[in-house]
């Protein structure tokens, strides 16, 4: 079985790169890992709304 490239660590790093806090990134990465979707969240210092999906 091929390992997924977009796992928990990838999602965590991606959300952190969008200038979110560590707890927010942890929550969003965990949600992405379980459901495949982070849900909408404020990023880039409050100037954007972002969502990461599989």
């Amino acid at each position: 079985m091929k390992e997924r490239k977009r796992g928990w660590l990838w999602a965590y790093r991606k959300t952190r790169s969008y200038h979110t806090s560590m707890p927010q990134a942890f929550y969003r990465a965990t949600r992405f890992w379980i459901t495949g979707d982070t849900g909408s969240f404020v990023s880039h210092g409050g100037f954007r709304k972002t969502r990461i999906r599989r």
Side-chain angles (χ1 to χ4, degrees):
M1 182 182 222
K2 214 174 199 181
E3 193 175 330
R4 291 182 186 171
K5 292 182 181 180
R6 293 188 175 186
W8 187 91
L9 188 59
W10 176 86
Y12 178 80
R13 288 179 178 161
K14 189 74 169 173
T15 54
R16 285 294 289 156
S17 74
Y18 290 158
H19 306 285
T20 59
S21 66
M22 282 193 241
Q24 174 80 316
F26 182 87
Y27 172 74
R28 295 298 170 181
T30 303
R31 184 172 167 161
F32 177 82
W33 182 62
I34 293 170
T35 66
D37 186 5
T38 61
S40 295
F41 62 97
V42 177
S43 63
H44 297 85
F47 290 102
R48 290 187 190 169
K49 223 171 174 191
T50 305
R51 180 179 207 154
I52 303 170
R53 289 184 253 185
R54 235 181 236 144

